[in-house]
Amino acid sequence: IDKEQDIQQSDTDLFNAITICKADLKNLSALNTQENTPGNSTDEISEAEARVRTQDWDRNYADWAEKQITLTTDGIFKVFYMPADYMAEGSEYESFLALKPNSQSPALYDADIVTTFTDSGKTTYYDTVVPMPPYTINNPSSSFYLLQLL
């Protein structure tokens, strides 16, 4: 659900505002086996890095989730803030759950989403999301109406 629709409104309108995305395991497998192609934007990551992150999710998500819930003060993510200013209207993007090394403790991981876009046979890989909590002053928990319903 986008931030404009994540507000108090009728249950029907909330439901209609949700975009349901089906997992494409075939493309996830392809992402995990393709060759390295570096990106050229500040939000782009290399294909190799995208592959490592998605493979880390595939292999480690259960262990990672348990550690996040039991060993950290922030707990497990409840939502992702997903800026979309790089996205072109009418284009299709695919996103995959991933884990990336935590900058303060590389032995730990942060939840992540790798987003891909293919144009003229070239695939670009993006890392633009921020898992929450922790919430920020720009994105307090009150910005996410659906979380208030839980």
Side-chain angles (χ1 to χ4, degrees), residues 57 64 68 80 98-104 108-112 131:
W57 176 268
W64 169 82
Q68 280 296 116
F80 284 104
L99 293 174
K100 69 178 175 182
N102 179 296
S103 58
Q104 281 79 36
L108 300 176
Y109 293 96
D110 291 325
D112 192 26

Side-chain angles (χ1 to χ4, degrees), residues 35-39 44-48 51 122-125:
E35 296 300 318
N36 179 23
T37 306
E44 288 183 25
I45 59 174
S46 71
E47 186 173 337
R51 186 173 358 110
K122 181 185 184 292
T123 301
T124 306
Y125 303 85

Side-chain angles (χ1 to χ4, degrees), residues 51-52 54-63 99:
R51 186 173 358 110
V52 166
T54 58
Q55 287 173 342
D56 282 344
W57 176 268
D58 291 343
R59 287 190 291 254
N60 302 316
Y61 73 88
D63 184 49
L99 293 174

